[in-house]
Each structure stands twice: as C-alpha cells, then as structure tokens.
Amino acid sequence: AIALDPTVPLSYFGRIKCREVRGEWEQAVEDGNEVIRRHPKNAEAYFHRGVSLHGKHAWKAALADFDRV
C-alpha cells in the first residue's frame, strides 16, 4: 500500500503496528517520522511513534509524543 501511495497515513500505521509487534522499534520510529513529516497534526502518528520510542527505552522522547496526543 505504501508503494502505491506513500501519502496515505493509514498505510504506514499497519506497518508500524507490525513492526511494534516484532520489536522492530527503530523501523517503526522511522515510519512514524515519515507520517509526521507528511502530516504533522496527525495524533495517531505521534501515539504510535511514542509507543515505538517507549519500546526503544527512549522515555523522554516517548513522553513528549504522548503529550502531543
């Protein structure tokens, strides 16, 4: 889905969730960064990036994202 239209945030959310389940925190954060770059007001992107940052034990960064939700 991302290859067909990388501007659709929902496509990234599915991949982010899969990466979270697999513990691929860095890749999930990168996907979150991409959605936020394209859609800076998307609260779900901040939430998922916060979850991924939490998984990386980047507590302050995760909290900052959760505060934006």
Side-chain angles (χ1 to χ4, degrees):
I2 294 169
L4 294 174
D5 189 354
T7 65
V8 178
L10 187 59
S11 301
Y12 286 92
F13 295 145
R15 189 165 78 176
I16 291 169
K17 290 175 186 178
C18 289
R19 288 179 166 173
E20 289 169 354
V21 168
R22 294 174 63 174
E24 298 173 354
W25 305 116
E26 189 60 42
Q27 295 90 340
V29 169
E30 290 172 9
D31 281 346
N33 289 342
E34 183 62 21
V35 176
I36 290 167
R37 184 183 72 76
R38 293 175 184 268
H39 306 278
K41 294 182 180 182
N42 189 304
E44 190 172 357
Y46 287 100
F47 172 78
H48 282 293
R49 189 174 71 177
V51 169
S52 300
L53 288 165
H54 182 271
K56 287 179 53 174
H57 303 276
W59 314 121
K60 289 183 181 180
L63 184 58
D65 274 0
F66 292 141
D67 282 344
R68 296 194 68 160
V69 176

